[in-house]
Amino acid sequence: MDGGGSTDMTLAFELEALKALADPTVVFNDARQWTEYVGVVSEKPTYVVTNFTRKHRVRQDFFSGPRGVKESLENVKRQFDTDRHVFVGTSEEDRALAEETGWEYLPLEQASEAAGGTLAGDEEEADPFESETRDDWP
C-alpha cells in the first residue's frame, strides 16, 4: 500500500550540518514529520554527539557511536530498511561518503529549506522586523 507520502525514509544528519543550523531542534522535529527514522552521524566521539543532542533536546533513532561516518551509514542502511536513505551533509567529503555507501546526498542548504529552517550564518541577512522574537515590541 502506497500512501504517496515520503515517510518511508531514513534521514541522517552529519553532526557539523546540525551545528550549522540556527535551530537544530526545529529542523530535526520537522524532519520527523516526513521521515521514519532520523539520526546523527559523526567522526567525533560518541559523547560529543550525545552532548549536542541532549543540549538541543534532539531525540535520535540512531547515532554513529564509536564508528566513523562511513561505517555508520552502512550499518544504518542495513538496520533501517526504508525505501530511501538520505544523508544531510555540508561538504564534498560528505557527498562522496553518501555515494560510496548508497545513500542519497542532500546538501544542508536544501534540507534546511525543505524543513523551513535557517542556517546559523543567514541570520544577519534576515529582516529584523519579520522576527516575532522581539522582546520589547508590544
Side-chain angles (χ1 to χ4, degrees):
M1 169 185 115
D2 181 41
S6 57
T7 53
D8 197 18
M9 185 198 301
T10 301
L11 188 68
F13 281 94
E14 214 288 326
L15 181 62
E16 294 309 310
L18 271 186
K19 284 183 169 175
L21 292 165
D23 195 344
T25 316
V26 168
V27 174
F28 213 85
N29 288 341
D30 185 85
R32 287 202 169 279
Q33 312 300 309
W34 43 271
T35 59
E36 186 95 15
Y37 306 107
V38 193
V40 183
V41 294
S42 176
E43 293 293 344
K44 301 247 168 40
T46 310
Y47 73 89
V48 175
V49 178
T50 311
N51 288 349
F52 180 84
T53 54
R54 275 204 193 120
K55 187 176 130 191
H56 292 280
R57 295 193 185 80
V58 164
R59 186 173 58 84
Q60 47 184 357
D61 298 310
F62 59 84
F63 59 97
S64 43
R67 299 179 294 273
V69 173
K70 180 175 185 281
E71 214 181 312
S72 300
L73 291 175
E74 289 168 346
N75 285 340
V76 168
K77 195 168 200 283
R78 268 199 308 274
Q79 274 179 296
F80 298 93
D81 184 24
T82 51
D83 291 346
R84 295 174 66 194
H85 294 82
V86 179
F87 178 45
V88 178
T90 56
S91 66
E92 280 309 309
E93 194 185 333
D94 291 342
R95 180 187 297 276
L97 277 169
E99 281 171 20
E100 209 179 317
T101 53
W103 284 63
E104 292 173 52
Y105 180 71
L106 186 64
L108 178 63
E109 294 74 39
Q110 280 173 259
S112 176
E113 277 166 32
T118 53
L119 298 175
D122 293 346
E123 303 235 305
E124 46 281 346
E125 294 142 44
D127 182 343
F129 297 104
E130 278 177 11
S131 165
E132 54 279 287
T133 51
R134 307 278 302 185
D135 316 324
D136 49 359
W137 288 65

mmCIF file with all atom_site columns, all heavy atoms in Angstrom, residues 70-92:
data_model
loop_
_atom_site.group_PDB
_atom_site.id
_atom_site.type_symbol
_atom_site.label_atom_id
_atom_site.label_alt_id
_atom_site.label_comp_id
_atom_site.label_asym_id
_atom_site.label_entity_id
_atom_site.label_seq_id
_atom_site.pdbx_PDB_ins_code
_atom_site.Cartn_x
_atom_site.Cartn_y
_atom_site.Cartn_z
_atom_site.occupancy
_atom_site.B_iso_or_equiv
_atom_site.pdbx_formal_charge
_atom_site.auth_seq_id
_atom_site.auth_comp_id
_atom_site.auth_asym_id
_atom_site.auth_atom_id
_atom_site.pdbx_PDB_model_num
ATOM 1   N N   . LYS A 1 70 ? 31.277 6.594  7.590  1.00 0.00 ? 70 LYS A N   1
ATOM 2   C CA  . LYS A 1 70 ? 31.075 5.598  6.532  1.00 0.00 ? 70 LYS A CA  1
ATOM 3   C C   . LYS A 1 70 ? 30.475 4.305  7.103  1.00 0.00 ? 70 LYS A C   1
ATOM 4   O O   . LYS A 1 70 ? 29.468 3.795  6.616  1.00 0.00 ? 70 LYS A O   1
ATOM 5   C CB  . LYS A 1 70 ? 32.402 5.296  5.831  1.00 0.00 ? 70 LYS A CB  1
ATOM 6   C CG  . LYS A 1 70 ? 32.274 4.270  4.716  1.00 0.00 ? 70 LYS A CG  1
ATOM 7   C CD  . LYS A 1 70 ? 33.613 4.107  3.984  1.00 0.00 ? 70 LYS A CD  1
ATOM 8   C CE  . LYS A 1 70 ? 33.475 3.184  2.793  1.00 0.00 ? 70 LYS A CE  1
ATOM 9   N NZ  . LYS A 1 70 ? 33.471 1.772  3.166  1.00 0.00 ? 70 LYS A NZ  1
ATOM 10  N N   . GLU A 1 71 ? 31.098 3.811  8.161  1.00 0.00 ? 71 GLU A N   1
ATOM 11  C CA  . GLU A 1 71 ? 30.613 2.568  8.777  1.00 0.00 ? 71 GLU A CA  1
ATOM 12  C C   . GLU A 1 71 ? 29.210 2.753  9.349  1.00 0.00 ? 71 GLU A C   1
ATOM 13  O O   . GLU A 1 71 ? 28.361 1.870  9.248  1.00 0.00 ? 71 GLU A O   1
ATOM 14  C CB  . GLU A 1 71 ? 31.578 2.159  9.895  1.00 0.00 ? 71 GLU A CB  1
ATOM 15  C CG  . GLU A 1 71 ? 31.700 0.658  10.039 1.00 0.00 ? 71 GLU A CG  1
ATOM 16  C CD  . GLU A 1 71 ? 32.637 0.295  11.180 1.00 0.00 ? 71 GLU A CD  1
ATOM 17  O OE1 . GLU A 1 71 ? 33.738 0.856  11.249 1.00 0.00 ? 71 GLU A OE1 1
ATOM 18  O OE2 . GLU A 1 71 ? 32.238 -0.555 12.003 1.00 0.00 ? 71 GLU A OE2 1
ATOM 19  N N   . SER A 1 72 ? 28.975 3.922  9.924  1.00 0.00 ? 72 SER A N   1
ATOM 20  C CA  . SER A 1 72 ? 27.646 4.204  10.484 1.00 0.00 ? 72 SER A CA  1
ATOM 21  C C   . SER A 1 72 ? 26.582 4.178  9.404  1.00 0.00 ? 72 SER A C   1
ATOM 22  O O   . SER A 1 72 ? 25.518 3.585  9.581  1.00 0.00 ? 72 SER A O   1
ATOM 23  C CB  . SER A 1 72 ? 27.635 5.580  11.156 1.00 0.00 ? 72 SER A CB  1
ATOM 24  O OG  . SER A 1 72 ? 28.573 5.613  12.194 1.00 0.00 ? 72 SER A OG  1
ATOM 25  N N   . LEU A 1 73 ? 26.870 4.834  8.282  1.00 0.00 ? 73 LEU A N   1
ATOM 26  C CA  . LEU A 1 73 ? 25.887 4.865  7.192  1.00 0.00 ? 73 LEU A CA  1
ATOM 27  C C   . LEU A 1 73 ? 25.608 3.454  6.690  1.00 0.00 ? 73 LEU A C   1
ATOM 28  O O   . LEU A 1 73 ? 24.458 3.092  6.429  1.00 0.00 ? 73 LEU A O   1
ATOM 29  C CB  . LEU A 1 73 ? 26.385 5.758  6.050  1.00 0.00 ? 73 LEU A CB  1
ATOM 30  C CG  . LEU A 1 73 ? 26.436 7.264  6.344  1.00 0.00 ? 73 LEU A CG  1
ATOM 31  C CD1 . LEU A 1 73 ? 27.053 8.020  5.183  1.00 0.00 ? 73 LEU A CD1 1
ATOM 32  C CD2 . LEU A 1 73 ? 25.075 7.830  6.695  1.00 0.00 ? 73 LEU A CD2 1
ATOM 33  N N   . GLU A 1 74 ? 26.660 2.650  6.578  1.00 0.00 ? 74 GLU A N   1
ATOM 34  C CA  . GLU A 1 74 ? 26.461 1.263  6.128  1.00 0.00 ? 74 GLU A CA  1
ATOM 35  C C   . GLU A 1 74 ? 25.597 0.487  7.116  1.00 0.00 ? 74 GLU A C   1
ATOM 36  O O   . GLU A 1 74 ? 24.673 -0.235 6.729  1.00 0.00 ? 74 GLU A O   1
ATOM 37  C CB  . GLU A 1 74 ? 27.822 0.570  5.944  1.00 0.00 ? 74 GLU A CB  1
ATOM 38  C CG  . GLU A 1 74 ? 28.591 1.098  4.747  1.00 0.00 ? 74 GLU A CG  1
ATOM 39  C CD  . GLU A 1 74 ? 30.052 0.648  4.718  1.00 0.00 ? 74 GLU A CD  1
ATOM 40  O OE1 . GLU A 1 74 ? 30.565 0.144  5.737  1.00 0.00 ? 74 GLU A OE1 1
ATOM 41  O OE2 . GLU A 1 74 ? 30.683 0.803  3.667  1.00 0.00 ? 74 GLU A OE2 1
ATOM 42  N N   . ASN A 1 75 ? 25.895 0.638  8.407  1.00 0.00 ? 75 ASN A N   1
ATOM 43  C CA  . ASN A 1 75 ? 25.136 -0.077 9.436  1.00 0.00 ? 75 ASN A CA  1
ATOM 44  C C   . ASN A 1 75 ? 23.682 0.372  9.495  1.00 0.00 ? 75 ASN A C   1
ATOM 45  O O   . ASN A 1 75 ? 22.771 -0.447 9.598  1.00 0.00 ? 75 ASN A O   1
ATOM 46  C CB  . ASN A 1 75 ? 25.772 0.137  10.818 1.00 0.00 ? 75 ASN A CB  1
ATOM 47  C CG  . ASN A 1 75 ? 27.039 -0.675 10.973 1.00 0.00 ? 75 ASN A CG  1
ATOM 48  O OD1 . ASN A 1 75 ? 27.264 -1.651 10.262 1.00 0.00 ? 75 ASN A OD1 1
ATOM 49  N ND2 . ASN A 1 75 ? 27.891 -0.256 11.886 1.00 0.00 ? 75 ASN A ND2 1
ATOM 50  N N   . VAL A 1 76 ? 23.476 1.679  9.429  1.00 0.00 ? 76 VAL A N   1
ATOM 51  C CA  . VAL A 1 76 ? 22.115 2.216  9.497  1.00 0.00 ? 76 VAL A CA  1
ATOM 52  C C   . VAL A 1 76 ? 21.304 1.732  8.299  1.00 0.00 ? 76 VAL A C   1
ATOM 53  O O   . VAL A 1 76 ? 20.148 1.352  8.429  1.00 0.00 ? 76 VAL A O   1
ATOM 54  C CB  . VAL A 1 76 ? 22.145 3.764  9.564  1.00 0.00 ? 76 VAL A CB  1
ATOM 55  C CG1 . VAL A 1 76 ? 20.754 4.338  9.349  1.00 0.00 ? 76 VAL A CG1 1
ATOM 56  C CG2 . VAL A 1 76 ? 22.708 4.225  10.903 1.00 0.00 ? 76 VAL A CG2 1
ATOM 57  N N   . LYS A 1 77 ? 21.938 1.712  7.141  1.00 0.00 ? 77 LYS A N   1
ATOM 58  C CA  . LYS A 1 77 ? 21.243 1.275  5.929  1.00 0.00 ? 77 LYS A CA  1
ATOM 59  C C   . LYS A 1 77 ? 20.809 -0.191 6.072  1.00 0.00 ? 77 LYS A C   1
ATOM 60  O O   . LYS A 1 77 ? 19.723 -0.574 5.643  1.00 0.00 ? 77 LYS A O   1
ATOM 61  C CB  . LYS A 1 77 ? 22.148 1.437  4.704  1.00 0.00 ? 77 LYS A CB  1
ATOM 62  C CG  . LYS A 1 77 ? 21.393 1.351  3.394  1.00 0.00 ? 77 LYS A CG  1
ATOM 63  C CD  . LYS A 1 77 ? 22.280 1.816  2.250  1.00 0.00 ? 77 LYS A CD  1
ATOM 64  C CE  . LYS A 1 77 ? 21.530 2.218  1.041  1.00 0.00 ? 77 LYS A CE  1
ATOM 65  N NZ  . LYS A 1 77 ? 20.988 1.344  0.157  1.00 0.00 ? 77 LYS A NZ  1
ATOM 66  N N   . ARG A 1 78 ? 21.658 -0.996 6.705  1.00 0.00 ? 78 ARG A N   1
ATOM 67  C CA  . ARG A 1 78 ? 21.308 -2.404 6.938  1.00 0.00 ? 78 ARG A CA  1
ATOM 68  C C   . ARG A 1 78 ? 20.184 -2.522 7.963  1.00 0.00 ? 78 ARG A C   1
ATOM 69  O O   . ARG A 1 78 ? 19.283 -3.333 7.819  1.00 0.00 ? 78 ARG A O   1
ATOM 70  C CB  . ARG A 1 78 ? 22.531 -3.174 7.446  1.00 0.00 ? 78 ARG A CB  1
ATOM 71  C CG  . ARG A 1 78 ? 23.344 -3.826 6.348  1.00 0.00 ? 78 ARG A CG  1
ATOM 72  C CD  . ARG A 1 78 ? 24.232 -4.934 6.884  1.00 0.00 ? 78 ARG A CD  1
ATOM 73  N NE  . ARG A 1 78 ? 25.058 -4.503 8.000  1.00 0.00 ? 78 ARG A NE  1
ATOM 74  C CZ  . ARG A 1 78 ? 26.247 -3.903 7.863  1.00 0.00 ? 78 ARG A CZ  1
ATOM 75  N NH1 . ARG A 1 78 ? 26.736 -3.665 6.659  1.00 0.00 ? 78 ARG A NH1 1
ATOM 76  N NH2 . ARG A 1 78 ? 26.950 -3.549 8.913  1.00 0.00 ? 78 ARG A NH2 1
ATOM 77  N N   . GLN A 1 79 ? 20.271 -1.738 9.014  1.00 0.00 ? 79 GLN A N   1
ATOM 78  C CA  . GLN A 1 79 ? 19.307 -1.850 10.114 1.00 0.00 ? 79 GLN A CA  1
ATOM 79  C C   . GLN A 1 79 ? 17.936 -1.280 9.784  1.00 0.00 ? 79 GLN A C   1
ATOM 80  O O   . GLN A 1 79 ? 16.919 -1.813 10.191 1.00 0.00 ? 79 GLN A O   1
ATOM 81  C CB  . GLN A 1 79 ? 19.833 -1.096 11.343 1.00 0.00 ? 79 GLN A CB  1
ATOM 82  C CG  . GLN A 1 79 ? 20.738 -1.897 12.218 1.00 0.00 ? 79 GLN A CG  1
ATOM 83  C CD  . GLN A 1 79 ? 21.208 -1.028 13.378 1.00 0.00 ? 79 GLN A CD  1
ATOM 84  O OE1 . GLN A 1 79 ? 21.903 -0.034 13.185 1.00 0.00 ? 79 GLN A OE1 1
ATOM 85  N NE2 . GLN A 1 79 ? 20.805 -1.382 14.584 1.00 0.00 ? 79 GLN A NE2 1
ATOM 86  N N   . PHE A 1 80 ? 17.925 -0.155 9.092  1.00 0.00 ? 80 PHE A N   1
ATOM 87  C CA  . PHE A 1 80 ? 16.660 0.532  8.822  1.00 0.00 ? 80 PHE A CA  1
ATOM 88  C C   . PHE A 1 80 ? 16.305 0.355  7.360  1.00 0.00 ? 80 PHE A C   1
ATOM 89  O O   . PHE A 1 80 ? 16.836 1.041  6.494  1.00 0.00 ? 80 PHE A O   1
ATOM 90  C CB  . PHE A 1 80 ? 16.764 2.018  9.185  1.00 0.00 ? 80 PHE A CB  1
ATOM 91  C CG  . PHE A 1 80 ? 17.033 2.243  10.645 1.00 0.00 ? 80 PHE A CG  1
ATOM 92  C CD1 . PHE A 1 80 ? 18.329 2.377  11.108 1.00 0.00 ? 80 PHE A CD1 1
ATOM 93  C CD2 . PHE A 1 80 ? 15.996 2.299  11.558 1.00 0.00 ? 80 PHE A CD2 1
ATOM 94  C CE1 . PHE A 1 80 ? 18.587 2.573  12.463 1.00 0.00 ? 80 PHE A CE1 1
ATOM 95  C CE2 . PHE A 1 80 ? 16.244 2.495  12.913 1.00 0.00 ? 80 PHE A CE2 1
ATOM 96  C CZ  . PHE A 1 80 ? 17.543 2.627  13.361 1.00 0.00 ? 80 PHE A CZ  1
ATOM 97  N N   . ASP A 1 81 ? 15.399 -0.555 7.132  1.00 0.00 ? 81 ASP A N   1
ATOM 98  C CA  . ASP A 1 81 ? 15.084 -0.936 5.761  1.00 0.00 ? 81 ASP A CA  1
ATOM 99  C C   . ASP A 1 81 ? 13.976 -0.054 5.193  1.00 0.00 ? 81 ASP A C   1
ATOM 100 O O   . ASP A 1 81 ? 12.850 -0.485 5.039  1.00 0.00 ? 81 ASP A O   1
ATOM 101 C CB  . ASP A 1 81 ? 14.681 -2.414 5.753  1.00 0.00 ? 81 ASP A CB  1
ATOM 102 C CG  . ASP A 1 81 ? 14.425 -2.896 4.342  1.00 0.00 ? 81 ASP A CG  1
ATOM 103 O OD1 . ASP A 1 81 ? 14.974 -2.287 3.403  1.00 0.00 ? 81 ASP A OD1 1
ATOM 104 O OD2 . ASP A 1 81 ? 13.666 -3.867 4.176  1.00 0.00 ? 81 ASP A OD2 1
ATOM 105 N N   . THR A 1 82 ? 14.284 1.198  4.916  1.00 0.00 ? 82 THR A N   1
ATOM 106 C CA  . THR A 1 82 ? 13.292 2.098  4.339  1.00 0.00 ? 82 THR A CA  1
ATOM 107 C C   . THR A 1 82 ? 13.560 2.223  2.838  1.00 0.00 ? 82 THR A C   1
ATOM 108 O O   . THR A 1 82 ? 14.627 1.847  2.361  1.00 0.00 ? 82 THR A O   1
ATOM 109 C CB  . THR A 1 82 ? 13.370 3.493  4.996  1.00 0.00 ? 82 THR A CB  1
ATOM 110 O OG1 . THR A 1 82 ? 14.726 3.950  4.966  1.00 0.00 ? 82 THR A OG1 1
ATOM 111 C CG2 . THR A 1 82 ? 12.903 3.455  6.443  1.00 0.00 ? 82 THR A CG2 1
ATOM 112 N N   . ASP A 1 83 ? 12.600 2.793  2.115  1.00 0.00 ? 83 ASP A N   1
ATOM 113 C CA  . ASP A 1 83 ? 12.759 2.941  0.666  1.00 0.00 ? 83 ASP A CA  1
ATOM 114 C C   . ASP A 1 83 ? 13.917 3.862  0.321  1.00 0.00 ? 83 ASP A C   1
ATOM 115 O O   . ASP A 1 83 ? 14.607 3.681  -0.661 1.00 0.00 ? 83 ASP A O   1
ATOM 116 C CB  . ASP A 1 83 ? 11.489 3.533  0.038  1.00 0.00 ? 83 ASP A CB  1
ATOM 117 C CG  . ASP A 1 83 ? 10.338 2.533  0.097  1.00 0.00 ? 83 ASP A CG  1
ATOM 118 O OD1 . ASP A 1 83 ? 10.601 1.345  0.363  1.00 0.00 ? 83 ASP A OD1 1
ATOM 119 O OD2 . ASP A 1 83 ? 9.181  2.945  -0.106 1.00 0.00 ? 83 ASP A OD2 1
ATOM 120 N N   . ARG A 1 84 ? 14.076 4.905  1.140  1.00 0.00 ? 84 ARG A N   1
ATOM 121 C CA  . ARG A 1 84 ? 15.131 5.887  0.845  1.00 0.00 ? 84 ARG A CA  1
ATOM 122 C C   . ARG A 1 84 ? 16.010 6.111  2.061  1.00 0.00 ? 84 ARG A C   1
ATOM 123 O O   . ARG A 1 84 ? 15.537 6.057  3.195  1.00 0.00 ? 84 ARG A O   1
ATOM 124 C CB  . ARG A 1 84 ? 14.503 7.225  0.428  1.00 0.00 ? 84 ARG A CB  1
ATOM 125 C CG  . ARG A 1 84 ? 13.732 7.147  -0.862 1.00 0.00 ? 84 ARG A CG  1
ATOM 126 C CD  . ARG A 1 84 ? 13.032 8.450  -1.146 1.00 0.00 ? 84 ARG A CD  1
ATOM 127 N NE  . ARG A 1 84 ? 13.996 9.534  -1.402 1.00 0.00 ? 84 ARG A NE  1
ATOM 128 C CZ  . ARG A 1 84 ? 13.672 10.825 -1.407 1.00 0.00 ? 84 ARG A CZ  1
ATOM 129 N NH1 . ARG A 1 84 ? 12.433 11.194 -1.164 1.00 0.00 ? 84 ARG A NH1 1
ATOM 130 N NH2 . ARG A 1 84 ? 14.591 11.736 -1.654 1.00 0.00 ? 84 ARG A NH2 1
ATOM 131 N N   . HIS A 1 85 ? 17.275 6.370  1.794  1.00 0.00 ? 85 HIS A N   1
ATOM 132 C CA  . HIS A 1 85 ? 18.229 6.723  2.843  1.00 0.00 ? 85 HIS A CA  1
ATOM 133 C C   . HIS A 1 85 ? 18.880 8.022  2.403  1.00 0.00 ? 85 HIS A C   1
ATOM 134 O O   . HIS A 1 85 ? 19.534 8.070  1.367  1.00 0.00 ? 85 HIS A O   1
ATOM 135 C CB  . HIS A 1 85 ? 19.286 5.625  3.015  1.00 0.00 ? 85 HIS A CB  1
ATOM 136 C CG  . HIS A 1 85 ? 18.715 4.340  3.534  1.00 0.00 ? 85 HIS A CG  1
ATOM 137 N ND1 . HIS A 1 85 ? 18.087 3.423  2.721  1.00 0.00 ? 85 HIS A ND1 1
ATOM 138 C CD2 . HIS A 1 85 ? 18.662 3.848  4.792  1.00 0.00 ? 85 HIS A CD2 1
ATOM 139 C CE1 . HIS A 1 85 ? 17.675 2.404  3.477  1.00 0.00 ? 85 HIS A CE1 1
ATOM 140 N NE2 . HIS A 1 85 ? 18.013 2.644  4.725  1.00 0.00 ? 85 HIS A NE2 1
ATOM 141 N N   . VAL A 1 86 ? 18.661 9.077  3.184  1.00 0.00 ? 86 VAL A N   1
ATOM 142 C CA  . VAL A 1 86 ? 19.140 10.392 2.792  1.00 0.00 ? 86 VAL A CA  1
ATOM 143 C C   . VAL A 1 86 ? 20.127 10.913 3.838  1.00 0.00 ? 86 VAL A C   1
ATOM 144 O O   . VAL A 1 86 ? 19.841 10.910 5.041  1.00 0.00 ? 86 VAL A O   1
ATOM 145 C CB  . VAL A 1 86 ? 17.951 11.379 2.639  1.00 0.00 ? 86 VAL A CB  1
ATOM 146 C CG1 . VAL A 1 86 ? 18.456 12.766 2.257  1.00 0.00 ? 86 VAL A CG1 1
ATOM 147 C CG2 . VAL A 1 86 ? 16.969 10.858 1.590  1.00 0.00 ? 86 VAL A CG2 1
ATOM 148 N N   . PHE A 1 87 ? 21.277 11.347 3.354  1.00 0.00 ? 87 PHE A N   1
ATOM 149 C CA  . PHE A 1 87 ? 22.347 11.833 4.226  1.00 0.00 ? 87 PHE A CA  1
ATOM 150 C C   . PHE A 1 87 ? 22.506 13.338 4.027  1.00 0.00 ? 87 PHE A C   1
ATOM 151 O O   . PHE A 1 87 ? 22.772 13.805 2.922  1.00 0.00 ? 87 PHE A O   1
ATOM 152 C CB  . PHE A 1 87 ? 23.646 11.098 3.873  1.00 0.00 ? 87 PHE A CB  1
ATOM 153 C CG  . PHE A 1 87 ? 24.846 11.532 4.673  1.00 0.00 ? 87 PHE A CG  1
ATOM 154 C CD1 . PHE A 1 87 ? 24.785 11.704 6.043  1.00 0.00 ? 87 PHE A CD1 1
ATOM 155 C CD2 . PHE A 1 87 ? 26.072 11.746 4.038  1.00 0.00 ? 87 PHE A CD2 1
ATOM 156 C CE1 . PHE A 1 87 ? 25.905 12.091 6.781  1.00 0.00 ? 87 PHE A CE1 1
ATOM 157 C CE2 . PHE A 1 87 ? 27.202 12.127 4.756  1.00 0.00 ? 87 PHE A CE2 1
ATOM 158 C CZ  . PHE A 1 87 ? 27.115 12.302 6.133  1.00 0.00 ? 87 PHE A CZ  1
ATOM 159 N N   . VAL A 1 88 ? 22.310 14.089 5.102  1.00 0.00 ? 88 VAL A N   1
ATOM 160 C CA  . VAL A 1 88 ? 22.437 15.546 5.034  1.00 0.00 ? 88 VAL A CA  1
ATOM 161 C C   . VAL A 1 88 ? 23.824 15.938 5.516  1.00 0.00 ? 88 VAL A C   1
ATOM 162 O O   . VAL A 1 88 ? 24.209 15.625 6.645  1.00 0.00 ? 88 VAL A O   1
ATOM 163 C CB  . VAL A 1 88 ? 21.371 16.238 5.929  1.00 0.00 ? 88 VAL A CB  1
ATOM 164 C CG1 . VAL A 1 88 ? 21.552 17.754 5.888  1.00 0.00 ? 88 VAL A CG1 1
ATOM 165 C CG2 . VAL A 1 88 ? 19.975 15.852 5.481  1.00 0.00 ? 88 VAL A CG2 1
ATOM 166 N N   . GLY A 1 89 ? 24.566 16.600 4.637  1.00 0.00 ? 89 GLY A N   1
ATOM 167 C CA  . GLY A 1 89 ? 25.926 16.979 4.997  1.00 0.00 ? 89 GLY A CA  1
ATOM 168 C C   . GLY A 1 89 ? 26.277 18.360 4.506  1.00 0.00 ? 89 GLY A C   1
ATOM 169 O O   . GLY A 1 89 ? 25.438 19.078 3.961  1.00 0.00 ? 89 GLY A O   1
ATOM 170 N N   . THR A 1 90 ? 27.552 18.721 4.671  1.00 0.00 ? 90 THR A N   1
ATOM 171 C CA  . THR A 1 90 ? 27.970 20.084 4.345  1.00 0.00 ? 90 THR A CA  1
ATOM 172 C C   . THR A 1 90 ? 29.175 20.147 3.412  1.00 0.00 ? 90 THR A C   1
ATOM 173 O O   . THR A 1 90 ? 29.599 21.221 3.044  1.00 0.00 ? 90 THR A O   1
ATOM 174 C CB  . THR A 1 90 ? 28.379 20.836 5.635  1.00 0.00 ? 90 THR A CB  1
ATOM 175 O OG1 . THR A 1 90 ? 29.404 20.080 6.284  1.00 0.00 ? 90 THR A OG1 1
ATOM 176 C CG2 . THR A 1 90 ? 27.203 21.005 6.573  1.00 0.00 ? 90 THR A CG2 1
ATOM 177 N N   . SER A 1 91 ? 29.743 18.993 3.060  1.00 0.00 ? 91 SER A N   1
ATOM 178 C CA  . SER A 1 91 ? 30.992 19.047 2.302  1.00 0.00 ? 91 SER A CA  1
ATOM 179 C C   . SER A 1 91 ? 31.022 18.052 1.154  1.00 0.00 ? 91 SER A C   1
ATOM 180 O O   . SER A 1 91 ? 30.176 17.152 1.071  1.00 0.00 ? 91 SER A O   1
ATOM 181 C CB  . SER A 1 91 ? 32.169 18.746 3.244  1.00 0.00 ? 91 SER A CB  1
ATOM 182 O OG  . SER A 1 91 ? 32.066 17.403 3.696  1.00 0.00 ? 91 SER A OG  1
ATOM 183 N N   . GLU A 1 92 ? 32.009 18.217 0.299  1.00 0.00 ? 92 GLU A N   1
ATOM 184 C CA  . GLU A 1 92 ? 32.209 17.260 -0.795 1.00 0.00 ? 92 GLU A CA  1
ATOM 185 C C   . GLU A 1 92 ? 32.532 15.886 -0.228 1.00 0.00 ? 92 GLU A C   1
ATOM 186 O O   . GLU A 1 92 ? 32.185 14.863 -0.804 1.00 0.00 ? 92 GLU A O   1
ATOM 187 C CB  . GLU A 1 92 ? 33.339 17.736 -1.724 1.00 0.00 ? 92 GLU A CB  1
ATOM 188 C CG  . GLU A 1 92 ? 32.889 18.799 -2.706 1.00 0.00 ? 92 GLU A CG  1
ATOM 189 C CD  . GLU A 1 92 ? 31.628 18.394 -3.480 1.00 0.00 ? 92 GLU A CD  1
ATOM 190 O OE1 . GLU A 1 92 ? 31.594 17.281 -4.059 1.00 0.00 ? 92 GLU A OE1 1
ATOM 191 O OE2 . GLU A 1 92 ? 30.664 19.182 -3.513 1.00 0.00 ? 92 GLU A OE2 1
#
